Amino acid sequence: MTEKKKILRALAGETLDTPPIWMMRQAGRYLPEYKATRAQAGDFLSLCYNSELAAEVTLQPIRRYGFDAAILFADILLLPQALGAELWFVTGEGPRLSTIENQEDFDKLKSAAEIDEVLNPVYETVRILSRELPSETTLIGFAGMPWTVATYMVAGRGTPDQGPAHALKDSNPALFDQIIDLLIEGTIEYLSKQIEAGAEVVKLFDSWAGSLKGDDFDRYALEPAKKIIAALKARHPDTPIIAFPRGAGERYVGFAEATGADCVALDDGVSAEWAAENVQKGVCVQGNLKSSHMVTGGDDLVRETRKIVDALSNGPHIFNLGHGITPDADPENVQLMIDTVRGK
Ligand code: CP3
């Protein structure tokens, strides 16, 4: 029998001597080989839909660093595109989408049953990866969470405070709920297909959960997570799920228990000591080094990395950053972080 992969052991609740490690946005612009393949593809979206090249950029950080997990190369905004939203990326600025301002805009969208036509190349990327990844590397699929994806669909772009989505949910909750419900259904379909294609773990990115306060957090972050996880567990009971309600703060406490997630990913707004005390109770946590250390490196990186490893060493832990690595990061600092975690 082959030995169970380290990430899967941590997700099953095992405390390992050395935490397994991967990194958000590990395939990205800080790597020269990524930039070369992206240029070959033409642009970011063409890269996402070119299964061979998307698999290639997914494999690049595995070859360079030997991370314990590979994350499918795609984007959370492919689902709205598959639902009929227009999507394009402005170089140096970020995503742009057609907006949803009223019922008429919403009614133009497709149903969750129709997404595969656009998303089939993503499932093909997963199939290629499950053949080509080293046997010790875990393949992680992912999707954006309804609230976060809705913030882009409503505003048509990234916004500093998610203002347009807050305004729509407050002024027209009936319409906003239809968007959320469609995204819940679409996300369940999308992740089920990724799992059927070979994803061994899935991660739910709720990057803007932190702007939801009080009851809104329950209604738009916790409840959708609960529904998506329940549906996925019914279809794929053995596939672990990582939830990332970024910026949840105090609401990290009990989030895994309330939603059925196997692991919560921590951003760098909470300390590892606090998380060990309040979140890691029998539940795997992932995180949470500040990504700026990948730019600045040095003794600070080593000290902060050790601090996190130590603080979370009494329970299941997957080492990661608190958010994605940035394009200005130095690839050598990534190696230093890995060597520090692995005690080299
Ligand atoms: O982590 C990985 O290596 C896997 C691939 C991945 C990407 N995006 C590739 C990407 C994942 C998991 C995502 C998730 C994603 N996409 C999120 C949630 C996580 C987070 O960062 O909070 C969000 C909010 C998006 C939407 C998105 N995609 C934005 C706002 C941007 C522009 C910002 C930027 O960094 O340019 C993207 C583009 C994007 N997605 C890039 C990559 C590698 C950069 C595109 C490029 O090559 O120019």
Side-chain angles (χ1 to χ4, degrees), residues 31-288:
L31 288 180
E33 59 267 37
Y34 169 82
K35 284 192 266 193
T37 309
R38 183 176 178 276
Q40 196 188 333
D43 57 42
F44 173 65
L45 280 177
S46 308
L47 177 55
C48 289
Y49 289 118
N50 182 325
S51 310
E52 291 290 339
L53 295 183
E56 167 58 24
V57 293
T58 307
L59 290 164
Q60 285 168 351
I62 306 307
R63 287 190 205 113
R64 188 190 265 256
Y65 298 115
F67 283 116
D68 293 294
I71 183 158
L72 164 70
F73 189 84
D75 197 84
I76 66 164
L77 299 178
L78 304 188
L79 177 62
Q81 187 176 37
L83 287 167
E86 282 169 50
L87 172 69
W88 66 103
F89 278 79
V90 180
T91 312
E93 290 187 32
R96 295 288 184 275
L97 298 90
S98 46
T99 57
I100 302 180
E101 288 163 31
N102 50 45
Q103 190 69 45
E104 206 188 338
D105 294 335
F106 178 80
D107 291 342
K108 286 188 209 138
L109 296 175
K110 298 183 194 167
S111 79
E114 296 170 281
I115 60 173
D116 291 350
E117 198 184 318
V118 169
L119 297 172
N120 270 325
V122 177
Y123 312 141
E124 178 58 19
T125 307
V126 175
R127 282 191 288 270
I128 295 171
L129 288 167
S130 53
R131 285 198 303 269
E132 295 194 359
L133 276 170
S135 60
E136 67 277 14
T137 315
T138 302
L139 178 56
I140 304 177
F142 74 93
M145 284 299 281
W147 162 252
T148 289
V149 174
T151 66
Y152 291 95
M153 292 178 85
V154 170
R157 59 192 297 161
T159 47
D161 57 359
Q162 298 74 59
H166 281 285
L168 187 68
K169 101 178 141 41
D170 295 338
S171 65
N172 192 346
L175 173 59
F176 197 74
D177 282 349
Q178 290 176 67
I179 302 173
I180 295 290
D181 288 345
L182 175 62
L183 289 171
I184 290 173
E185 276 183 59
T187 304
I188 293 166
E189 280 310 310
Y190 185 34
L191 291 174
S192 293
K193 289 279 165 58
Q194 290 182 31
I195 294 167
E196 284 155 26
E200 299 171 278
V201 173
V202 293
K203 178 166 173 186
L204 311 173
F205 283 89
D206 214 348
S207 304
W208 300 117
S211 78
L212 294 167
K213 303 295 172 202
D215 292 346
D216 275 352
F217 185 91
D218 292 307
R219 184 160 166 187
Y220 298 113
L222 201 131
E223 284 300 323
K226 220 167 136 174
K227 288 183 184 156
I228 290 167
I229 293 169
L232 291 174
K233 291 283 181 191
R235 293 192 203 178
H236 305 285
D238 299 328
T239 305
I241 300 173
I242 304 172
F244 183 33
R246 188 167 75 94
E250 294 281 332
R251 302 301 311 266
Y252 269 121
V253 180
F255 192 88
E257 293 82 347
T259 59
D262 301 276
C263 174
V264 278
L266 306 166
D267 61 80
D268 59 35
V270 297
S271 79
E273 294 81 1
W274 177 84
E277 196 64 35
N278 296 287
V279 187
Q280 202 188 22
K281 305 272 166 231
V283 158
C284 183
V285 295
Q286 178 180 282
N288 69 340

